[in-house]
Amino acid sequence: MFVDRNITEVTIMDVDKKPVLFIILAVVTILAGTLATTFIPLFMGTASPSRENIKFYTALELEGRDIYIREGCNNCHTQMVRPLKFETARYGDYSTLADSAIDRPHLWGSKRTGPDLARVGRKYPAAWHVIHMKSPQSMYPKSNMPPYAWLADRDLNTKYTEAKMKTLGYPYTAADLRALEGKTEMDAIIAYLLRLGNELR
Amino acid sequence: MAQEHAYDYRAVKGFAISSLFWGIVGLLIGILISLQLVYPQLNVTSWLTYGRLRPLHTNALIFGFTIPAAFSIFFYLVQRLGRTQLAFPGLAKALLYLFNTAIVLAALSLFAGMSQSKEYSELEWPLDLVIVVIWVMFAIIIIGTIVKRKEEQMYVSLWYILATVVGVAIVFIGNNLVVPVSLFKSYSVYAGANDANVQWWFGHNAVAFVFTTIPLAIFYYILPKTTQAPLYSHRLSIIGFWSLVFAYLWTGAHHLIYTPLPDWIQTVAISFSIFLIAPSWASVINGYGTMKGQWEQMRTSYLVKFIILGITFYGLQTLQGPSQAIRAFSALTHFTDWVPGHVHMGTMGWVTMTISAGFYYMLPRIYNTELYSVKIANAHFWLVLMGQLIYSVTMWITGIRQGAMWQAMEADGSLVYSNFIDTLTPNYAFWNMRTAGGIIFFAGFLLFVYNLYKTIRLAPKASSA
């Protein structure tokens, strides 16, 4: 019942009778766009800016960034100011390649349930963030952001900090690592937020 | 005679039940996170916060619901279309146990906040390795069965099944290349714009090889089978298939319009997104063409209703998607609730309706029985249709509204709504309506599961295990 009259006329190389050939052709077809738009650009350098002027993450900022990832902040906050007038008016300078050049993974985001955070480090001091993180509703009664007061009660786990810095190739000193002692997760995430928008030397 | 009909449906049944179970879990989490967006006090403890549950919702419905539905229905299709028994039935049984164990571990890890952060690639590297093993086992069973088939010609559904097998493998591995720092933490090998580019190449082709080729494989089989009408055009299905699997891979960067990613990559992605309308509509036209002279079946057959509404939402989805890729439209709707509205027309409309039709078609046949209740199936249809429309339409409205408020500027160049919160709070009414839509959809899904449960319970016990 599936076979229409013209079926033999439109069969090329009998590909629909040879599964292995079919798989090879499908892989080649899939790899064409994959290589052209995604993997060849990796080696073209156009999406990989010079890292000369970029401030590397400190150990505390990196741990804060990992808490940002753990809590899925990127589900509601972008870090991508588009070069559009109404965006730069709201958030500040539009995002450049340099802003995220050392970010693994990137945290550009895809949904703004809350505002963009790419430049938030220029906007508020640490004390503001502490109050806001503990209870967003204390500042904005109608905010829908979950309260994160519990981050202040949790000591920062520094077991893997050195391994992380090494893996990512960020420079650090023994003093940087010692400075993490006694820090809470709240300290770390706020250090990270304060850095956003201040990526360049 | 015994040879011809000795199909092995054990894994088909196991994965069907797994899919329905995880479907219920994924939808429940969806309703919870929808409520959390309006009632932040529902973020009661760290592992129940929105930021951790949202990936759990998407992963549960992609990996927990859609993938086992594909395993189940594909294991049925390769046997029927190849007129042969499933290859490696022992492997299929092991796959069922490994799969469900992996989903439980995946859920626990997301509750705990273990995440690679990249959308639909959140699971950390040990689970990624398990997924690779699962996929290799799946591929061996599918390809093994196809190779030993007795029907020489591979029907369209088998092409889409093979595309799913290789497509998911390529994009999943490509996006999950990471450097581990511990058992629970890793960093992407890519940085910045390259990482984003790889991520959305993956993200959009997860749509291609999970949410498109899976339901298309089901659609091309059950539509002619159900309507008893031959497929409208074999030629169109060939053109549609190869141009679809070619074009999809070029479109990922339409998720990155107006970002610092090199412009040419964005423009190529936009062009291919527009082109993609053609192969997508090849299947829509094939569906409508097959219905020629049979349209009265839309009244008489609940299955045809699911199939045709499914392919119709696919058609709408593949027009809306490319329009969102246009720069001006992206500037307005990107980052707003328009996008979840778009996604859920595809997932609640096209994907779930087609998978539902697949189960409705397949399960009574493999249990040698009739569907328990056509009436309940019709109620299921209308509930999921209403629920999905309420979801999508409310999100489109509030998405455009919020996008317009973000853009609004006074003559002097200052923002009309400079406080972000003022653009956020009008969402709440729409989000409550969305929750209502989700609950209606969920009620329909529960009827679906109940109907299948009763169907299986009432099956004659003599049916081959």
Side-chain angles (χ1 to χ4, degrees):
Chain A
M1 68 182 287
F2 292 124
V3 182
D4 71 27
R5 282 187 305 280
N6 299 328
I7 195 156
T8 46
E9 290 168 35
V10 290
T11 303
I12 304 156
M13 296 196 296
D14 276 347
V15 63
D16 53 352
K17 292 177 184 159
K18 298 174 180 162
V20 177
L21 176 66
F22 189 97
I23 289 171
I24 294 167
L25 284 178
V27 168
V28 169
T29 309
I30 288 168
L31 285 181
T34 296
L35 295 175
T37 62
T38 310
F39 287 90
I40 290 173
L42 286 176
F43 303 99
M44 289 170 65
T46 44
S48 320
S50 144
R51 299 178 172 202
E52 240 168 69
N53 294 319
I54 296 163
K55 272 194 286 186
F56 286 98
Y57 289 95
T58 66
L60 187 63
E61 289 166 355
L62 178 65
E63 288 295 348
R65 188 172 199 267
D66 285 344
I67 291 164
Y68 185 99
I69 289 172
R70 185 188 74 197
E71 297 313 326
C73 304
N74 51 299
N75 285 294
C76 290
H77 294 282
T78 55
Q79 291 182 26
M80 178 46 60
V81 183
R82 299 175 292 178
L84 300 164
K85 234 185 227 166
F86 60 87
E87 295 240 342
T88 52
R90 186 179 301 278
Y91 299 117
D93 303 339
Y94 60 80
S95 296
T96 66
L97 286 174
D99 293 337
S100 53
I102 59 164
D103 287 2
R104 295 168 51 186
H106 77 289
L107 289 173
W108 292 3
S110 63
K111 175 74 170 63
R112 276 184 196 148
T113 299
D116 188 274
L117 298 181
R119 309 292 179 219
V120 76
R122 300 177 189 170
K123 211 168 169 183
Y124 307 107
W128 184 95
H129 282 296
V130 175
I131 300 168
H132 183 256
M133 289 289 288
K134 284 185 173 171
S135 173
Q137 288 71 27
S138 69
M139 282 182 163
Y140 304 101
K142 286 186 169 174
S143 168
N144 64 349
M145 181 169 142
Y148 285 96
W150 49 275
L151 289 178
D153 304 328
R154 289 169 60 141
D155 292 331
L156 191 63
N157 179 355
T158 56
K159 194 174 161 196
Y160 296 106
T161 309
E162 189 166 11
K164 288 175 175 182
M165 295 295 278
K166 272 190 184 145
T167 300
L168 294 169
Y170 301 160
Y172 65 95
T173 63
D176 293 341
L177 298 178
R178 271 198 308 277
L180 298 180
E181 274 170 41
K183 297 285 186 194
T184 64
E185 293 189 343
M186 183 69 91
D187 297 328
I189 197 165
I190 288 173
Y192 172 64
L193 292 174
L194 290 176
R195 178 206 151 88
L196 292 175
N198 302 306
E199 283 78 10
L200 303 183
R201 274 189 244 265
Chain B
M1 163 241 153
Q3 282 272 311
E4 186 101 279
H5 295 286
Y7 297 121
D8 182 345
Y9 293 140
R10 286 169 299 178
V12 175
K13 293 170 183 174
F15 279 110
I17 292 161
S18 307
S19 168
L20 295 172
F21 176 78
W22 294 115
I24 290 174
V25 173
L27 291 175
L28 272 176
I29 296 168
I31 292 169
L32 173 58
I33 61 175
S34 179
L35 285 165
Q36 282 178 330
L37 282 173
V38 185
Y39 307 100
Q41 58 272 33
L42 293 174
N43 294 278
V44 285
T45 171
S46 62
W47 51 278
L48 284 180
T49 46
Y50 178 90
R52 295 188 189 185
L53 290 185
R54 191 264 180 178
L56 193 54
H57 165 67
T58 53
N59 280 274
L61 290 171
I62 294 169
F63 295 104
F65 169 67
T66 309
I67 293 292
F71 286 3
S72 170
I73 299 173
F74 286 4
F75 287 162
Y76 176 80
L77 293 182
V78 287
Q79 296 186 73
R80 303 298 306 210
L81 289 168
R83 284 198 287 117
T84 188
Q85 206 174 26
L86 196 69
F88 312 112
L91 193 63
K93 191 178 174 190
L95 179 61
L96 180 63
Y97 289 113
L98 180 62
F99 168 83
N100 281 292
T101 309
I103 294 295
V104 171
L105 292 175
L108 292 175
S109 77
L110 292 172
F111 273 129
M114 293 167 200
S115 171
Q116 295 181 159
S117 92
K118 291 157 85 170
E119 278 181 71
Y120 329 124
S121 274
E122 285 93 348
L123 299 175
E124 267 296 355
W125 67 272
L127 282 163
D128 290 344
L129 290 179
V130 176
I131 291 173
V132 170
V133 171
I134 285 173
W135 204 257
V136 168
M137 292 165 78
F138 167 60
I140 290 172
I141 296 163
I142 290 288
I143 295 169
T145 310
I146 289 178
V147 165
K148 74 182 184 80
R149 76 199 182 284
K150 299 198 178 72
E151 178 73 46
E152 194 188 19
Q153 185 108 30
M154 292 191 294
Y155 177 66
V156 193
S157 293
L158 293 180
W159 314 346
Y160 281 106
I161 289 173
L162 287 174
T164 306
V165 169
V166 296
V168 168
I170 293 170
V171 300
F172 185 83
I173 293 171
N175 194 42
N176 280 295
L177 295 180
V178 295
V179 186
V181 285
S182 76
L183 193 57
F184 308 117
K185 180 71 190 170
S186 65
Y187 293 115
S188 173
V189 298
Y190 316 104
N194 284 319
D195 190 53
N197 194 30
V198 172
Q199 155 60 24
W200 288 111
W201 159 78
F202 162 83
H204 201 69
N205 289 290
V207 173
F209 295 111
V210 176
F211 289 155
T212 305
T213 55
I214 288 173
L216 279 177
I218 301 169
F219 165 79
Y220 272 106
Y221 182 84
I222 57 174
L223 180 64
K225 277 287 193 183
T226 304
T227 57
Q228 297 290 317
L231 186 66
Y232 172 64
S233 168
H234 188 70
R235 189 184 302 254
L236 192 58
S237 63
I238 293 174
I239 299 168
F241 173 82
W242 288 103
S243 48
L244 185 97
V245 296
F246 175 72
Y248 242 110
L249 286 298
W250 301 73
T251 59
H254 68 211
H255 290 257
L256 299 171
I257 293 168
Y258 286 119
T259 69
L261 186 74
D263 265 349
W264 72 266
I265 302 178
Q266 299 180 36
T267 306
V268 165
I270 295 168
S271 313
F272 272 90
S273 302
I274 308 284
F275 171 80
L276 206 45
I277 295 172
S280 306
W281 272 75
S283 292
V284 180
I285 289 166
N286 236 339
Y288 290 164
T290 304
M291 289 301 291
K292 214 166 163 184
Q294 321 274 342
W295 283 104
E296 85 286 351
Q297 293 198 37
M298 282 290 279
R299 276 196 303 274
T300 55
S301 162
Y302 72 96
L303 259 179
V304 172
K305 270 191 279 205
F306 275 99
I307 301 168
I308 291 301
L309 259 290
I311 200 71
T312 300
F313 283 120
Y314 177 59
L316 295 174
Q317 187 75 358
T318 53
L319 288 176
Q320 193 181 52
S323 60
Q324 287 164 220
I326 308 265
R327 281 194 173 86
F329 200 64
S330 173
L332 175 66
T333 58
H334 196 43
F335 301 140
T336 72
D337 279 279
W338 173 283
V339 179
H342 168 69
V343 172
H344 284 79
M345 174 164 67
T347 50
M348 297 164 99
W350 157 235
V351 180
T352 310
M353 278 221 182
T354 307
I355 287 174
S356 301
F359 281 153
Y360 274 142
Y361 175 89
M362 183 181 79
L363 289 175
R365 279 174 175 76
I366 64 178
Y367 281 97
N368 292 322
T369 185
E370 296 287 317
L371 184 70
Y372 170 67
S373 165
V374 172
K375 225 178 199 167
I376 294 178
N378 274 311
H380 164 213
F381 172 82
W382 289 109
L383 286 172
V384 294
L385 177 63
M386 271 197 306
Q388 178 251 313
L389 285 174
I390 292 170
Y391 188 119
S392 294
V393 173
T394 53
M395 291 304 95
W396 294 331
I397 294 170
T398 199
I400 295 281
R401 176 205 55 74
Q402 192 167 22
M405 284 176 90
W406 287 345
Q407 289 195 356
M409 296 183 92
E410 305 283 7
D412 67 358
S414 62
L415 294 165
V416 177
Y417 306 97
S418 57
N419 284 323
F420 185 90
I421 191 99
D422 296 333
T423 73
L424 167 73
T425 50
N427 275 322
Y428 294 171
F430 292 97
W431 284 343
N432 279 330
M433 284 188 263
R434 181 255 302 271
T435 305
I439 290 170
I440 292 169
F441 183 91
F442 183 61
F445 194 86
L446 286 180
L447 287 185
F448 170 54
V449 174
Y450 173 75
N451 208 359
L452 292 178
Y453 169 76
K454 290 298 258 187
T455 303
I456 294 170
R457 280 294 302 275
L458 295 176
K461 290 285 177 281
S463 76
S464 60

